[in-house]
Amino acid sequence: MKVAVIGAGFAGLAAAVVLVDSGIEVEVFEKESVVGGLATGFKQNAWDWSLEHYYHHIFTNDTEIIEMAKKVGWAAKIYKPLTSSLIDGKVLQLDSPLSVLKFRKLSMLSRLHMGFGLGILKIIPRGEFLEKYRVVKVLPKLIGREAYTKIWSKLLAAKFGSQVETVNMAWFWSRVAKRTKNLGCFDGGFRTMAEKMRDYIVKKGGVIRLENEVKTNSKYFKKFDKVIVT
């Protein structure tokens, strides 16, 4: 069987790794000049690490990518950073129940309200049902208006800009429910991890075709039994 994978981001690369491990012929098509997709970055010759286009990290419960990293010989590095917020010129830690209670830029009632709301999200096992609810409508009620205004609304606006009104609560739930205290990254950045996956695929007989944009009804598809679009 011959399979084409469209896109050399982490989803496409992971699919290709699974396929080559199963003895299937694989060709990966990517319109950019590097692998990694949204998690890639750029690197000057003298740099040890790439600088990512977007900020990325992994959680300690991201077992799939942790196992993938071991498979391709580039194990994740786990650290215990401090996550903080800048408010009124002061940097205040905000990454644990205790730090929420000590967050002096909010009233004690607001701290308790926010902690209670985030705790509810943390214990929800699956959040798909939250897709129909908008963050801007639900979150102020769940965590309190003061906490939403001083902290979360600013973060949401900075991340989503003019599209902030469209963000659903399933996205926000995943940020809270998935989060772990310790965070992970890869030596050299996520681009290096993607390159290790690329090398693994090629070593196993797969083909990576960079700067190959695939369009609808592409002539490439005629020689493949299956096509995976990522």
Side-chain angles (χ1 to χ4, degrees):
M1 177 181 285
K2 297 183 70 173
V3 176
V5 177
I6 312 304
F10 273 86
L13 293 172
V17 167
V18 172
L19 290 168
V20 295
D21 278 347
S22 301
I24 294 172
E25 291 186 61
V26 179
E27 289 189 34
V28 181
F29 296 88
E30 169 58 50
K31 70 177 181 178
E32 303 295 342
S33 59
V34 296
V35 296
L38 290 175
T40 193
F42 59 93
K43 183 179 179 182
Q44 301 293 340
N45 290 334
W47 294 3
D48 293 329
W49 287 60
S50 61
L51 182 62
E52 295 168 13
H53 296 304
Y54 307 95
Y55 167 67
H56 287 86
H57 61 255
I58 61 172
F59 298 125
T60 54
N61 54 21
D62 285 323
T63 54
E64 291 86 357
I65 192 169
I66 290 172
E67 290 304 313
M68 177 66 71
K70 291 178 182 178
K71 177 189 285 286
V72 302
W74 205 247
K77 299 296 180 70
I78 305 298
Y79 301 95
K80 188 176 182 179
L82 294 180
T83 301
S84 305
S85 290
L86 175 65
I87 297 184
D88 297 333
K90 295 186 180 296
V91 177
L92 300 174
Q93 185 178 349
L94 188 61
D95 57 5
S96 68
L98 180 60
S99 66
V100 170
L101 289 176
K102 295 169 63 176
F103 199 79
R104 60 183 182 273
K105 287 298 179 179
L106 298 177
S107 67
M108 181 55 72
L109 182 60
S110 291
R111 297 177 217 175
L112 293 172
H113 194 164
M114 180 170 71
F116 178 75
L118 295 177
I120 290 176
L121 292 176
K122 191 76 174 174
I123 64 175
I124 294 175
R126 298 182 66 87
E128 293 92 334
F129 74 96
L130 294 170
E131 288 183 357
K132 61 184 177 181
Y133 301 106
R134 295 288 172 262
V135 169
V136 294
K137 299 290 186 182
V138 175
L139 195 58
K141 299 175 182 176
L142 183 64
I143 66 171
R145 175 63 62 179
E146 184 184 9
Y148 177 78
T149 302
K150 287 188 175 181
I151 301 172
W152 301 102
S153 66
K154 296 175 181 178
L155 294 173
L156 290 164
K159 185 174 184 66
F160 294 105
S162 62
Q163 299 301 310
V164 69
E165 296 281 341
T166 69
V167 182
N168 66 58
M169 277 299 296
W171 175 85
F172 191 85
W173 163 83
S174 69
R175 306 279 73 75
V176 175
K178 185 72 174 172
R179 185 169 186 83
T180 56
K181 178 71 173 178
N182 292 349
L183 304 178
C185 61
F186 303 99
D187 279 346
F190 273 71
R191 173 172 170 171
T192 303
M193 172 59 183
E195 290 169 346
K196 293 297 181 180
M197 295 173 73
R198 174 203 64 194
D199 295 345
Y200 183 93
I201 294 163
V202 172
K203 185 177 180 180
K204 288 271 193 168
V207 177
I208 310 283
R209 300 193 183 279
L210 300 177
E211 298 182 298
N212 263 277
E213 184 174 4
V214 175
K215 308 213 176 191
T216 305
N217 299 320
S218 170
K219 62 182 180 181
Y220 292 124
F221 293 162
K222 295 180 181 178
K223 64 177 182 177
F224 295 103
D225 300 299
K226 301 286 184 181
V227 176
I228 297 175
V229 180
T230 66

